[in-house]
Amino acid sequence: MTGERSDPFTSQTEHQRERATTIFEKGAPRRRAFRAPELDVPAVEGLIPAAQRRGTPPRLPEASEPEIVRHYVNLSKRNFDLDSGFYPLGSCTMKHNPRLHERVAALPGHARLHPLQDPRRAQGALELMFNLQESLAEIAGLPHVSLQPSAGSHGELAGVLLTRAYHADRGEQRTKVLTPDSAHSTNPATVTMAGYEVVKVALDAAGGVDVDDLRAKADDSVACLMLTNPSTLGIFDPNIEEIASIVHGVGATLYYDGANLNAIMGYSRPGDMGFDIVHFNLHKTFTQPHGGGGPGAGPIAVSDRIEPYLPRPQVVRRAPSNGGPPTFDLDDDRGGSESKSIGKLRGFQGNYGVFVRTYAYIRSLGGEGLQDVSEVAVLNANYLLARLREKVGDRLPLAFGERCMHEFVLSGAPMKKELGIRTLDVAKRLLDHGFHPPTVYFPLVVDEALLIEPTETETRETLDAFADAIAAIVAEAEQDPEIARNAPYTTPVRRLDEAGAAKRPRVREVLPD
Amino acid sequence: MADASYPDDLLYHPDHDWARLDPDEPGVATFGITWYAQDALGEVVFFDPPDVGSSVTAGEFYAEVESVKAVSDVIAPLTGEIVEVNTSLADTPEAINDDPYGAGWMVRVQLSDPGQADSLMDCETYVGTL
Amino acid sequence: MAGYTSVTAEDLAIMLDAIGVGSVEELFDAIPVGVRLGRPIDLPPGEPEQAVYAELRRLAARNVSAEDEITFLGAGMYDHYVPSIVDMLMSRSEFLTPYTPYQPEVSQGGLQVMFEYQTAISELTGLPVSNASVYEGPSAVGAAAYLAKLTNKRRRVLVGRGVHPHSRATLETLAVGYGMEVAEIGLDDGVTDLAALRDALGDDVSAVILQQPNFIGAIEDVQAIADAAHGHGALVICAADPLTLGVLEAPGNQGADLVVGEGQSLGNRLDFGGPSFGFFAATEKHIRSMPGRIAGETTDADGRRGFVLTLQTREQHIRREKATSNICTSQALNALGGVVYLSWLGRRGIVELGELILQRTHYARETLSALDGVDKLHDCPVVREFALRLDADVGRVLERCAAAGVNAGYALGRSYEEFGDGLLVAITEQRSRADIDRLAEVLGAAVAAERAGAGAQVAAQVTSSEGLSLR
């Protein structure tokens, strides 16, 4: 890792020398990978009316299997990934993805099961989903679970729609949803999609919800307050009981964004804090692999008063009258014509492949293991914070408070002022050190934010190495800030022209006719 | 990008927008955003203009300007009806960064109340707020 | 130490010392006593890997999957053959374990995959702009309605009864939040009732939504529906089955403004309903209103070709309450499976596959409707799925077939009251002629037995499984 600027014609890495070519530029006419099975029925003409017949086939690639494999395998090597290195993206909980989960998810009994299979012949799947529901209910401290939402923000949408149904059922017209400025950014978008107005609640000096501001804004036009605890600042809000009391006092619901659940398992539960609706991010706390941007899942747990509105179908367990073993079913009806269910948020019953993995994780860890997860997550974060403070605490101070939970936010503002490099430049220079950078410029309440979440699966040595890398970058900038400003140097491509991409968007390959 | 500049023949709105009263056509003004605003946004990639003939109200937004990482509301300094829109910004939105008071102009407006201009700040006052 | 952590007693001592606390518990001091759990989490103790594997196997064995029976069950997800290279590539660390490409310099693999995927979807749908995936089919329909509302600000949506029941249900649920009203246009002779559509159209209609082929397998006249809708300034949203687009005309070439749909049949497993992916394509003018991530091409500081997430100002993390959707995590890995599959199929393969399925579907429909007590529910052209009417209780017929190792299809009565005697049969390339002949044999026998009045016997067997609902 040197500080020299890259000369396009020398000192390039192997990846940098390779021009990016898409699969459409590979192959040649009449090459193929797929071999169709024999046509074993008589061929009949005219089955599709001429007007509906495809004129020109889609211009998909024509390549052999070896070409396709080589293309995508080489492409994969232009990616940094969690298996390869430290990935402290704050708020994303990039913890190790156990490979047992891939093995069990691939069992044909799970992987090749059709969603509309007769429930009597899908008892394994329904039992798994039911047990997962029960486990999540225990972790959340709320009794009723729906596994349907496909991601955290989908779970949020479900939560706000549930809130809407709850108030409508009471004949109430509420128009606003409150959310603090440090909220995960899907919250305001979700609120708008659910037909409410977003009203921001201020934070106090300690980074928690400003209780006075909340009290001033909480009235009977408010449908819900959406929070996460600990917040995206990594701080557990000590006023949560009072906050819950204010919100419930005006008849609104309290919604928990489960993005930071990794911090509190075994210590506190959102249900016990007073939340009515909780969503989980199975791709965060529960090890579903991030996949480069999904799939995930965002199941929700709710209190008794919200239960009637849960989406359909619900997985239910029935004890047979003759005393035999329980059976499981999908209750699509949810009370028939009297049903208050909000209906469906997606097809079928949810991302079952994700449930299989999550269930395997929960069975592997057990209650004690989950508590251990949170303890080590918080320990690792505080240790890394301590090391960073020791080394660069004056340039990159902690933005709020003294300690943290499972993640913490540093501010690059002093560094920017004194050394002339920004959080962005530190992030780019970290790439040259073989680390994925933390989350940058979020939460918005911190200037030049650097949000760091190590997770519990990292070793002490990795944390030390990361702290050393940050220190090295800062020290280097003290000598020559230009180096970080032009970083990265050793990645497959260097800084990219994002403005150009946004001005004249090219979102597909240009294909020859 | 230009160095920080705030021409003293313009009038300014606290939300970082300027107005130039047309010296030749009384009651008509040109609007744009100030150097401070374009600097905060970063390189502009898209400007979504309103329609000619639509009305703008002092203090309210009438268009959006986008950079890679941010979207900003553009606030009208004065009230009136849009008579012309800078269509060249569709091809070169970066003019808003390079020449915010010249080629980066956004709309020309027939003012409903030219006297309203008195409520705007002069250059010195505006710079004082930065 | 549990699971995947690595803190030994030695590590712990060093770390607590560096932090300046005496115990891990102290790090949780900020949690007030009133909200403390105060007891262990009440879940069974953790188990070693081999025990967990055994448990997951036990559960798998309680499911009758497509591995265990000859299945003709479709209705939105299909038992296609997933080639082994898809499994292999989707399990590579570099694709499986990173997150969304927020640092594009080290995410060129994932970004280029998105770019290639977008290209492939544009090709299939005939529309120039595709995003990098949404969750799945029905919610894609919901997202399309949101885009229509943002675009023309109108409040009504007309949706054909031939659109998948889950898509219609999802649309109803989401419309409550959007402040939109959904009205259904019925079917006439197996396809969308064009006269009813024309009657229902007006200046308050934001979008018209149809499905191609529709839920009961019939090919719709997309152009006619599009012309009617455009005549009133409404957007046309077509939910399409992607694998049929080798033989069916691209809806984008027939007037659809948005083409969306379920991507499961492109290289993704059944997985009891998910995860899969939804695709979402649009005409150029909607690019700035598109939901979800979009990868764009650009160059780096040295002039190299590269890719970035672009038009991010649409998204939740910048535009916040004015975002075009709230999608953060979508279905990147499943979309990778999709583009690998489409590359594997190739330009010729997608046509050959479509033709093969088309011919077998025709053969199946003719063979089955020739059976006693079995008729076509409609006579419209079909490409991979068709509907029959049975002169017997569909549920009991399905039971008999299942007992003979054949899943005969979907009981239409589950979601269409008017088709209580209907059976929806899906054909994939995995169902050979021999399989279809077996279905005919088994179905024929089942219908005959039911008609002959053996119904009472089977009914008794069915209720003895304790009143489980057939959903």
Side-chain angles (χ1 to χ4, degrees), chain A residues 146-403:
Chain A
S146 169
L147 298 177
Q148 199 177 118
S150 304
S153 53
H154 208 208
E156 278 171 24
L157 183 59
V160 185
L161 289 175
L162 287 169
T163 291
R164 175 178 277 287
Y166 169 75
H167 290 303
D169 200 21
R170 264 146 204 73
E172 299 213 18
Q173 297 277 16
R174 298 199 177 214
T175 55
K176 303 182 189 137
V177 170
L178 303 180
T179 176
D181 221 352
S182 57
H184 194 252
S185 37
T186 57
N187 292 172
T190 302
V191 169
T192 307
M193 288 174 74
Y196 286 112
E197 186 198 323
V198 181
V199 174
K200 292 188 187 150
V201 175
L203 299 181
D204 64 19
V209 169
D210 180 331
V211 175
D212 293 326
D213 193 46
L214 175 63
R215 209 177 274 116
K217 291 176 172 155
D219 59 28
D220 60 12
S221 70
V222 169
C224 180
L225 169 67
M226 298 177 81
L227 269 192
T228 183
N229 198 18
S231 69
T232 55
L233 296 166
I235 296 175
F236 194 93
D237 197 323
N239 299 315
I240 187 63
E241 292 165 289
E242 193 179 355
I243 291 166
S245 159
I246 293 170
V247 171
H248 290 146
V250 296
T253 64
L254 191 58
Y255 178 90
Y256 183 83
D257 176 336
N260 293 331
L261 195 61
N262 214 44
I264 57 169
M265 293 187 290
Y267 280 82
S268 186
R269 306 188 301 177
D272 299 333
M273 292 182 216
F275 287 91
D276 299 288
I277 307 169
V278 167
H279 89 255
F280 304 85
N281 297 71
L282 298 189
H283 46 294
K284 294 188 180 183
T285 313
F286 296 95
T287 76
Q288 163 67 21
H290 286 82
I300 51 178
V302 305
S303 57
D304 287 336
R305 63 178 179 150
I306 305 292
E307 186 273 337
Y309 313 99
L310 282 176
R312 55 180 182 83
Q314 273 295 90
V315 180
V316 296
R317 180 173 61 190
R318 301 206 169 105
S321 50
N322 63 9
T327 57
F328 301 92
D329 198 6
L330 280 167
D331 179 9
D332 207 34
D333 221 19
R334 299 218 75 227
S337 57
E338 300 296 305
S339 171
K340 298 184 179 185
S341 164
I342 57 172
K344 291 188 75 60
L345 294 158
R346 56 157 290 154
F348 311 110
Q349 44 271 9
N351 282 344
Y352 178 75
V354 177
F355 308 151
V356 173
R357 292 172 173 86
T358 306
Y359 185 63
Y361 182 63
I362 293 174
R363 291 300 299 248
S364 299
L365 263 61
E368 241 182 76
L370 290 174
Q371 178 165 341
D372 189 61
V373 162
S374 288
E375 286 176 347
V376 179
V378 171
L379 174 69
N380 274 0
N382 277 282
Y383 175 72
L384 181 56
L385 173 60
R387 285 285 178 241
L388 285 168
R389 260 184 167 141
E390 229 175 80
K391 296 171 193 278
V392 294
D394 49 346
R395 307 289 194 199
L396 287 161
L398 185 65
F400 283 91
E402 275 307 303
R403 291 210 292 261

